[in-house]
């Protein structure tokens, strides 16, 4: 273990205020999060919206790679206790903190928060041993069979690497009572569809074989153990209403080509 002291201020990151779309997504996601669940999440409007719906839960835990200011709100509400974490009972486990000064001051010398290395936060054996691990991740695009692209945006802009998505998706699927949730708006800010016949870039972050629950503001598509034809039907049902007719026309070609 090493500690590096610096006089530079910590980076301040604003997560943003969730709007109606993020709040609708959060309502669908909250239905999968029971008392005692252990959460993996990130930062951004959708995680903020989801965590804000959980203040009435009891005994929630946290095991994640990064967390923002929403941690403070959920801890202060009494919903996050960490009691269900088998390796760090009574503590919230994260690899990093990324938020405002409020978060950093709250975390300073706070024994309720355990900082852990990536060799622990992302280790498959650790994740599989956590009961009711709920992995909350996002996507830039998803195809009709449940493949996820989280690296290349609409227009071909490369936004980032695989990161820990696959680690947490597979960890949650192996967890007793765990679920993997991929949540995102049905359209981009520019109005482009996020549910598409095929991943435009060809870059797949999470394979269809790892698909569990995919959520947009229009509902949740449960894909684990579901055949291709039914997957296509369920994915179209959560696409933007204006995109569904076009997806239905292309669906037969997609399934036939696999």
């Amino acid at each position: 273990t090493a500690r590096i002291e610096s006089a530079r201020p910590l980076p301040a990151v604003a997560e943003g205020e969730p709007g109606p779309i993020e709040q609708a997504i959060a309502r669908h996601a909250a239905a999968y999060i029971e008392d005692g669940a252990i959460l993996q999440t990130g930062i951004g409007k959708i995680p903020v919206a989801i965590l804000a719906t959980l203040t009435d839960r009891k005994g929630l835990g946290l095991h994640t790679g990064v967390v923002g200011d929403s941690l403070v709100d959920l801890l202060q509400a009494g919903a996050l206790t960490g009691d269900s974490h088998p390796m760090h009972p009574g503590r919230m486990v994260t690899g990093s903190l990324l938020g405002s000064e409020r978060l950093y001051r709250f975390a300073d010398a706070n024994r309720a928060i355990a900082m852990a290395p990536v060799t622990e936060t992302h280790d498959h054996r650790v994740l599989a041993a956590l009961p009711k691990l709920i992995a909350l991740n996002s996507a830039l695009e998803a195809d009709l069979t449940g493949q996820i692209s989280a690296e290349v945006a609409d227009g071909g802009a490369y936004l980032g690497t695989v990161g820990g998505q696959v680690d947490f998706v597979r960890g949650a699927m192996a967890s007793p009572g765990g679920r993997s949730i991929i949540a995102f708006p049905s359209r981009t800010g520019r109005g482009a569809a996020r549910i598409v016949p095929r991943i435009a870039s060809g870059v797949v972050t999470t394979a269809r074989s790892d698909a569990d629950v995919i959520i947009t503001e229009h509902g949740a598509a449960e894909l684990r153990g579901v055949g291709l034809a039914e997957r296509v039907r369920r994915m179209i049902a959560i696409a933007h209403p204006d995109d569904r007719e076009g997806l239905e026309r292309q669906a037969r070609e997609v399934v036939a080509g696999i």
Side-chain angles (χ1 to χ4, degrees):
T1 302
R3 183 177 70 178
I4 300 174
E5 295 187 8
S6 172
R8 290 181 296 179
L10 293 171
V13 176
E15 292 186 290
E17 187 68 25
I21 289 176
E22 290 82 15
Q23 291 167 354
I25 291 170
R27 288 191 292 271
H28 294 303
Y32 293 91
I33 303 173
E34 304 174 352
D35 292 346
I38 297 176
L39 307 177
Q40 175 268 319
T41 185
I43 60 173
K45 292 182 181 181
I46 291 177
V48 168
I50 293 174
L51 296 183
T53 68
L54 304 178
T55 55
D56 64 338
R57 300 299 195 274
K58 297 178 175 61
L60 294 177
L62 182 78
H63 186 104
T64 192
V66 60
V67 71
D69 282 39
S70 300
L71 166 69
V72 182
D73 299 326
L74 213 50
L75 269 169
Q76 291 181 336
L80 268 179
T81 65
D83 294 340
S84 56
H85 200 295
M87 286 152 275
H88 296 276
R91 306 185 78 186
M92 311 307 125
V93 180
T94 183
S96 58
L97 303 167
L98 196 57
S100 69
E101 186 177 355
R102 172 180 178 240
L103 171 66
Y104 302 139
R105 289 191 179 278
F106 180 83
D108 186 32
N110 191 333
R111 292 290 299 167
I113 300 172
M115 303 299 295
V118 68
T119 50
E120 179 178 346
T121 57
H122 292 58
D123 185 271
H124 183 76
R125 292 166 297 181
V126 172
L127 298 174
L130 299 176
K132 291 199 289 189
L133 175 63
I134 307 297
L136 301 167
N137 291 283
S138 193
L140 296 169
E141 280 189 335
D143 76 8
L144 290 175
T145 69
Q147 294 188 122
I148 296 297
S149 174
E151 301 166 67
V152 181
D154 174 44
Y158 183 69
L159 298 185
T161 63
V162 174
Q165 182 174 119
V166 177
D167 297 316
F168 288 113
V169 165
R170 292 180 175 174
M173 297 277 276
S175 159
R179 301 303 299 261
S180 166
I181 295 172
I182 304 290
F184 55 91
S186 62
R187 281 185 164 180
T188 69
R190 297 189 295 175
R194 289 185 185 270
I195 294 179
V196 294
R198 292 184 175 87
I199 301 297
S201 66
V203 176
V204 173
T205 305
T206 298
R208 69 172 65 94
S209 55
D210 291 322
D212 187 10
V213 183
I214 297 181
I215 290 176
T216 72
E217 71 271 27
H218 301 293
E222 297 194 7
L223 304 184
R224 188 190 299 196
V226 175
L228 289 180
E230 180 62 15
R231 282 182 177 224
V232 168
R233 188 190 70 79
R234 294 184 185 188
M235 289 297 290
I236 291 174
I238 65 168
H240 191 281
D242 293 343
D243 298 329
R244 293 173 190 171
E245 184 178 348
L247 289 170
E248 287 170 356
R249 287 198 303 268
Q250 298 170 83
R252 184 173 299 179
E253 178 186 344
V254 169
V255 174
I258 294 174

